[in-house]
Every structure is written in structure tokens, then in C-alpha cells.
Amino acid sequence: MMLVRHIRNGTVVDHIKAGKGPGVMKLVKGDTEDPVVLAMNVSSTRHGKKDILKLENVYLDEDTLDLVSLLAPNATVNLIKEGEVEEKRKVKLPSEIKGVLKCFNPKCITNQEREPAEPEFKVLKNPVRLKCKYCGEVFAEKFFKNVQKP
């Protein structure tokens, strides 16, 4: 059994679908020089296998949590302070995402230099997809599995 130490302050993203952890880590890690631990294929009584991400001294903002929900809609986020869980909550899929994700269509006006517009997407559910407000393109998970902030 592999043991990963507890973090003193920071965020734990738990119940990530097995194999989705690297995408979530890429999204939330940012430029931190503090420890980041990704445990993959951890046994779970509820899901069989899961991934867990621990971010020392990192607290995720609401925009980032919205993006996490795209990749891990069943994730639980634990905010840790002084070694104790201060807050625990499930991520929720937002109805829309604005300004934190680029449109995947290179011809979309949001990707043009002459008249740039802030990217906006409607979040479609079952399965999760994104629909661009400007170009109308609908993107399935295979397009945003490696999602990054602009």
C-alpha cells in the first residue's frame, strides 16, 4: 500500500475518475513551486478506482473549480487549513463558462486578433459538452480533456 502524507494547507481534489487526474493536474497546478501529488488508480469502494490530487499551499478559485467539473464532474474538493479539513464540497457543472477557456475552433472570433471577443461557452450535459456562444461549435470531451486556461 502506498502512503501519501497529509498536507498542512492547500487543496485535495478527490474522486477524480481514474485516468483523468493528469488532465486535472495540468489545469490546476499553475506555476506553484510547492509540492503537488497525483495518486492514480487508487482503490475506491464507491468507484472501484479513482485519482486523487493534493496541492500544497494552493487554493482553487471558482473559475478553476468550474473547469475541474468539466474533467471530473464527480470530484470532491477539500480545503485544508492547519492540517484539518476546513471545507468539503462537490464540484458542480456550471451552466456557462466565460473568459477562462479558449474556443477550440481556430476560425472563431475569440481566436482572432483583429476583433477579439471574450470566449463564452454554454455547458451541455449528458454527456458533458461545450457550445461556443460565438461560432456555435459544440465540443465533446475529447476536445477539452487537455483543457488549459488561456
Side-chain angles (χ1 to χ4, degrees):
M1 175 179 221
M2 180 179 70
L3 298 175
V4 177
R5 73 173 181 85
H6 294 285
I7 61 174
R8 182 125 180 93
N9 294 293
T11 304
V12 176
V13 183
D14 197 0
H15 304 293
I16 302 168
K17 185 176 178 180
K20 302 284 183 178
V24 174
M25 183 173 75
K26 183 177 181 183
L27 174 68
V28 302
K29 181 180 170 291
D31 295 326
T32 184
E33 292 186 15
D34 289 307
V36 175
V37 176
L38 173 61
M40 296 181 64
N41 297 314
V42 177
S43 294
S44 167
T45 55
R46 197 177 342 160
H47 302 289
K49 298 276 185 182
K50 66 179 180 178
D51 293 352
I52 303 169
L53 181 62
K54 293 185 174 192
L55 304 142
E56 186 86 36
N57 298 318
V58 174
Y59 295 97
L60 306 177
D61 61 28
E62 291 301 317
D63 287 339
T64 303
L65 290 174
D66 285 348
L67 295 178
V68 167
S69 74
L70 294 175
L71 299 174
N74 297 314
T76 302
V77 176
N78 299 304
L79 303 179
I80 312 297
K81 294 209 176 161
E82 300 301 321
E84 299 293 327
V85 176
E86 183 173 274
E87 181 182 348
K88 182 175 189 170
R89 61 180 160 154
K90 292 190 68 62
V91 296
K92 291 184 276 185
L93 278 172
S95 58
E96 60 183 21
I97 292 179
K98 294 182 182 181
V100 294
L101 183 63
K102 289 181 70 165
C103 183
F104 305 99
N105 177 359
K107 295 180 182 178
C108 181
I109 192 168
T110 61
N111 291 317
Q112 305 304 312
E113 290 184 21
R114 57 180 149 54
E115 292 183 46
E118 181 179 66
E120 290 186 39
F121 298 91
K122 181 175 182 178
V123 178
L124 308 174
K125 300 173 183 173
N126 299 323
V128 176
R129 294 159 292 144
L130 298 176
K131 181 176 182 177
C132 179
K133 173 184 174 181
Y134 296 99
C135 69
E137 289 284 334
V138 176
F139 302 96
E141 182 184 350
K142 70 179 183 177
F143 289 100
F144 57 87
K145 66 182 176 185
N146 292 319
V147 69
Q148 290 183 351
K149 293 181 186 180

